[in-house]
Structures are given as C-alpha cells and as structure tokens.
Amino acid sequence: MDFAQINQYLTELTNHPDPLLRRLEEEARQTRFPIIGAAAGRFCYLITRLVKARTVFELGSGFGYSTLWFAKAVRDNGGGKVYHNVWDEGLSRRARQYFAEAGLSDLVEFHVGEAVAALRRAEGPFDVIFNDIDKQGYPASLPVIKEKLKVGGVLIVDNMLWQGRVLDPNDQEPTTQAIRLTTQQIFNDPDFVPTLVPIRDGLVVAMKIDE
Ligand SMILES: C[S@@+](CC[C@H](N)C(=O)[O-])C[C@H]1O[C@@H](n2cnc3c(N)ncnc32)[C@H](O)[C@@H]1O
C-alpha cells in the first residue's frame, strides 16, 4: 500500500460537513495555498480536545484554515483563545472575515508580524502550540516554544516528513536540514515525549513533561 493512497483514504474518511472549512479547502486548492488539510486538521482538533486545551498559539496561520480547527476544539472544550499569527496583512484580514462569518471571532486573537517574536512577547503558558512557519525558522523557534508551552501541553509541528525529503541522504537543502535538526532537537530532549505521525506531510507531536 502506498503512502499517498493511505492519506487519500484518511482524507476521505475525515469527510467533515463544515461548509466554511470546505470553502477554505476549495480556496486553498484554487490558489495552491499550503493548508494542513482535513486529515491533519481533524488530528489537531482531536489533540486539542484530548488535552482539554483552552489556549492555543499558532505560528504561521495563513488565512485561518488550521486556526478554524483549533478554534472549534477550544469552543468545544468550553471556550478560550486561539492566537493567529502571520506576517501577511492580507491573509490576516481574510482570516478575520472568515471568523466573523462563522461567529467565532471571540475565540481568536489576530496578530500580524513575525510569529516567533510574537510568541516570545506573549504571556503564556499555552496548552497547545502549533508550528507551521517557514521551515528554516524551525530550529530557532524551539527554545521559545518550549519556554511558552505548559507542562502537560502539546507541541504540534507540521511538514516534518517534507514530502519524504528528510529520508533522502542526498538532500542537503537548508529547509530539509532545518527540519531534520528540529526533529533531532525534539526527540533528544528529555523534557518532551515526542512522536511523528505520518498524516499528510508528517506531524511531530510532543508533550512537554518537564521545564
Ligand atoms: C504553511 S502556511 C500556513 C497554513 C496554515 N497553518 C493552515 O494550515 O491553514 C504558512 C504561513 O505563515 C507565514 N509565515 C511563515 N513564516 C512565518 C513567520 N516566521 N512569522 C509569521 N508568519 C510566517 C507564511 O507567509 C504563510 O502565510
């Protein structure tokens, strides 16, 4: 069985009925914007429900697709805040419109700017931190994330398989190297209990167990 087939099967199984999520999926398809997609979105929703998260900090939020999954989970946990961080003004504006339409604006704080700097300034600690920024920024973001994640909280990092490129020893691209380094940093840190879940492009999921 091939990897793409498994992910296609999982995406079909996820088959959620939400019209706004569907609209954003269609928009991403038409504009070729890289969203996490339904299977990874559902997985993020599940983790957020499991840890009963009330606060989620997202780094690299795009036009709000992944944010919408987190916001639904926080709402279903009884309410809280999701922090949407992206440095593109236009994407932030679109996300605000979508959340207003969905009646979920109260659950989200929007910030335009560099996401790691925003996290450094944020009070925290957060129950869930989701990282989807430019991949070369992953290694430097980790100490900040670790500091701002609550003990018992969960870090989720997207694109950790990088379309299989992390497995190719001949691929020495800076992005691939940054992903490999971040994976090693997380897996070698005794304060994290990590795994890599091969949904879509690979999600590293790590619970922080100590400071
Ligand atoms: C992969 S897309 C996000 C997709 C989103 N997580 C989703 O699934 O709906 C990453 C976005 O974050 C922005 N970005 C990348 N690095 C960033 C950084 N360090 N700070 C703020 N925004 C960043 C990119 O310009 C892009 O709009």
Side-chain angles (χ1 to χ4, degrees), residues 112-182:
V112 179
E114 204 288 312
V116 183
L119 179 59
R120 198 177 282 115
R121 284 194 305 270
E123 200 174 325
F126 298 97
D127 299 320
V128 170
I129 298 182
F130 175 63
N131 198 1
D132 197 10
I133 59 171
D134 285 353
K135 309 314 151 193
Q136 277 168 264
Y138 275 6
S141 69
L142 195 58
V144 185
I145 289 171
K146 186 175 171 185
E147 187 197 326
K148 299 291 179 172
L149 187 64
K150 183 178 106 175
V151 171
V154 177
L155 164 64
I156 308 172
V157 193
D158 194 27
N159 306 108
M160 297 305 261
L161 288 173
W162 208 222
Q163 291 146 3
R165 279 176 269 170
V166 290
L167 306 175
D168 176 0
N170 295 321
D171 190 329
Q172 298 295 320
E173 288 298 314
T175 45
T176 311
Q177 298 274 46
I179 291 169
R180 287 194 190 109
L181 174 61
T182 308

Side-chain angles (χ1 to χ4, degrees), residues 178-198:
I179 291 169
R180 287 194 190 109
L181 174 61
T182 308
T183 307
Q184 288 308 318
Q185 287 171 332
I186 297 172
F187 275 75
N188 291 334
D189 188 332
D191 298 336
F192 281 124
V193 179
T195 190
L196 198 166
V197 182

Side-chain angles (χ1 to χ4, degrees), residues 80-112:
K81 276 284 181 241
V82 180
Y83 295 80
H84 175 284
N85 290 279
V86 75
W87 52 25
D88 320 78
E89 177 68 53
L91 291 175
S92 183
R93 202 176 320 114
R94 264 154 70 195
R96 282 168 217 240
Q97 282 163 5
Y98 294 137
F99 275 86
E101 269 180 50
L104 295 173
S105 298
D106 289 354
L107 288 167
V108 187
E109 289 277 334
F110 296 93
H111 176 260
V112 179

